[in-house]
Amino acid sequence: MKIFAVGMNYALHNKEVKNTLLQQSVSDTSDREPVIFTKADSALLKDSKPFFLPDFMGQIDYETEVVVRICRLGKSIPERFAHRYYDAVTVGIDFTARDMQKRLREEGQPWEICKGFDGSAVIGEWVEKEKFLDIQRIQFHADINGKTVQEGCTSEMIHSVDRLISYISQFFTLKTGDILYTGTPVGVGPVAVGDHIEGFLEQRKVLDFNVR
């Protein structure tokens, strides 16, 4: 099982983290290649298990994302056929060690440690994609301690789900059970011990866990 993730796929989030692409519009950035990274399989956290805060890593931020599940073997998939290769969606949290990420960026180092550490890829309950009229029109949000802290819509993605799957499959053979985090909208922030995090697709709660 492979965990793929996408960086800088929502324009307002890019501005939030002061990325250099942000001076351009979404249409200007859509022809750029997606930013892809991976997480170790030990990063996966599911079944409402608690996330244990690794405080030695500095500030840990939540990044709420729509996650899709790969359902068949594929390589070099044309974008027009990409919809056949995933069968379910959910909400996930891509935890990021923000202080460490900033340092690694400044040093030109890879992101694996700040993005792929144990428990950093939280996923909720899977929902069949047929439950939604359009994968690119799904509203989603996350609540912490009963308050909505981040919300977005997949229509705001710079690179669509089908585009991402087609692109990734040029380099990696996709296999049944692989998962893809599709990027986070504006509104990321730190978590603390004792936080209760819930994630929603439209109005359906699919994610529920605690930070310890």
Side-chain angles (χ1 to χ4, degrees), residues 29-45:
T29 58
S30 61
D31 59 347
R32 295 177 180 268
E33 293 184 343
V35 176
I36 306 297
F37 60 96
T38 61
K39 289 174 175 271
D41 57 5
S42 61
L44 190 65
L45 186 66

Side-chain angles (χ1 to χ4, degrees), residues 2 4 70-78 81-82 84-85 165-166 168-176 178:
K2 300 184 292 297
F4 298 101
I70 303 301
C71 63
R72 61 191 297 186
L73 185 71
K75 174 70 175 176
S76 299
I77 302 165
F81 297 135
R84 302 177 180 176
Y85 288 82
I165 287 176
S166 177
I168 292 170
S169 72
Q170 296 177 50
F171 308 97
F172 301 92
T173 298
L174 298 181
K175 297 183 178 182
T176 301
D178 289 348

